[in-house]
């Protein structure tokens, strides 16, 4: 997919590259639950340079999704104020998410969680972390649209 690196891919092209129902589930959930649309942006970040998908609500970042070949990673930030609530949920999280949380060092009082989305359980955990950052308003549709 080197041509995607040379030019901005569309959201659809990114989804086709990933080829995962987990991508459709998480993106559909975020869009329905928060009423937001994805933004395809280029990052020069040394940790994960390249095209990514950002979701923002009211100027606040919800998460950034980093596509790979057949997989993707979700970046969710957990600040000091949210840490106690996140840590209270950790016991119910997938072991890989727990490990990611505890291995993520604090930077400016925030844990930057690079979560490899590999299963429905990890998608569930990412949704719960997002709800800590920005609660879903009651009455908002939270089911993923049928693909």
């Amino acid at each position: 997919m080197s041509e995607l690196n040379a030019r901005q891919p569309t959201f659809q092209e990114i989804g086709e590259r990933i080829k995962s129902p987990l991508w459709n589930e998480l993106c559909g959930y975020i869009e329905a639950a928060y009423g937001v649309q994805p933004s395809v942006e280029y990052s020069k970040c040394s940790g994960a340079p390249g095209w990514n998908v950002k979701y923002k609500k009211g100027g606040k970042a919800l998460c950034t999704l980093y596509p790979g070949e057949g997989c993707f990673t979700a970046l969710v930030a957990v600040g000091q104020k949210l840490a106690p609530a996140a840590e209270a949920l950790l016991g119910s999280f997938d072991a890989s998410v727990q490990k990611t949380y505890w291995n993520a060092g604090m930077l400016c009082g925030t844990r930057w969680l690079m979560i490899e989305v590999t299963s429905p359980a990890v998608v569930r955990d990412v949704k719960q972390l997002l709800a800590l950052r920005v609660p879903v308003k009651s009455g908002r549709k939270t089911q993923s649209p049928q693909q």
Side-chain angles (χ1 to χ4, degrees):
M1 286 288 177
S2 60
E3 76 268 6
L4 289 183
N5 293 328
R7 64 169 178 78
Q8 181 174 342
T10 66
F11 182 75
Q12 182 177 353
E13 287 172 324
I14 291 172
E16 290 169 358
R17 177 180 181 204
I18 293 170
K19 298 178 188 161
S20 170
L22 301 174
W23 173 264
N24 295 332
E25 180 183 346
L26 185 57
C27 292
Y29 169 81
I30 294 169
E31 292 166 28
Y34 295 100
V36 296
Q37 291 300 307
S39 174
V40 176
E41 299 180 14
Y42 189 84
S43 172
K44 293 181 182 177
C45 170
S46 62
W51 294 104
N52 59 53
V53 175
K54 291 187 187 287
Y55 283 100
K56 298 175 187 174
K57 177 74 174 174
K60 185 176 185 176
L62 284 170
C63 68
T64 302
L65 305 179
Y66 295 90
E69 292 287 343
C71 63
F72 68 102
T73 301
L75 170 63
V76 181
V78 177
Q80 286 179 323
K81 290 180 182 177
L82 297 178
E87 291 169 14
L89 292 172
L90 276 179
S92 67
F93 282 5
D94 184 87
S96 67
V97 178
Q98 291 180 38
K99 183 177 179 182
T100 297
Y101 184 89
W102 293 119
N103 287 341
M106 296 289 277
L107 179 63
C108 299
T110 300
R111 287 184 194 270
W112 299 88
L113 308 179
M114 293 292 282
I115 302 167
E116 291 183 50
V117 182
T118 57
S119 71
V122 173
V123 170
R124 179 203 64 217
D125 298 346
V126 170
K127 289 176 184 179
Q128 290 182 343
L129 289 168
L130 293 177
L132 289 177
R133 291 184 52 74
V134 179
V136 176
K137 293 187 175 160
S138 62
R140 177 122 8 226
K141 180 181 170 189
T142 58
Q143 294 295 317
S144 299
Q146 294 298 319
Q147 298 290 329

